[in-house]
Amino acid sequence: GMVMDARPGTALCNVLFLGYAAQEQVQIPSLRQAVFCKASELTRGTVCEGIYSADGLWYTARIDEAMPDGRYAVTYTDYGNSEIIDLRHIRAKETVTPAA
């Protein structure tokens, strides 16, 4: 998505989800810069995040197959549904370092 505007004096901003004509107000601390994957990094079983076509939001996904046209078959691991998505709709899974 793309930040459209921030609300002065608050921790809110409006985010436009590109290609989905959806806009949502989100907490600024919940935003993070996407780290996109290279095709060479995406092999069967790779855990990543993918944009689900129905709502334009990022979800944890697993690469099932690289398609001949350069797109990827993925399964969204939290929900079990699958679809084929473009490389530009795949990013590295955020790693969280546990607090010591």
Side-chain angles (χ1 to χ4, degrees):
M2 178 173 36
V3 174
M4 300 304 293
D5 61 47
R7 306 216 173 210
T10 73
L12 299 173
C13 65
N14 287 316
V15 174
L16 175 66
F17 297 99
L18 303 174
Y20 297 94
Q23 188 166 317
E24 188 173 321
Q25 190 175 78
V26 299
Q27 295 281 332
I28 292 172
S30 70
L31 299 176
R32 70 180 177 96
Q33 185 172 353
V35 177
F36 292 97
C37 298
K38 297 176 184 161
S40 61
E41 299 170 335
L42 300 175
T43 58
R44 184 179 184 91
T46 300
V47 176
C48 56
E49 292 180 337
I51 296 178
Y52 181 49
S53 63
D55 61 13
L57 299 177
W58 293 98
Y59 294 96
T60 300
R62 181 188 63 245
I63 301 295
D64 297 325
E65 181 181 356
M67 308 305 291
D69 65 1
R71 297 182 303 155
Y72 291 83
V74 300
T75 297
Y76 297 100
T77 58
D78 294 337
Y79 301 97
N81 51 327
S82 300
E83 69 178 341
I84 297 173
I85 60 176
D86 192 271
L87 176 62
R88 63 191 171 99
H89 293 160
I90 298 172
R91 69 181 181 190
K93 176 99 172 102
E94 179 178 32
T95 56
V96 177
T97 304

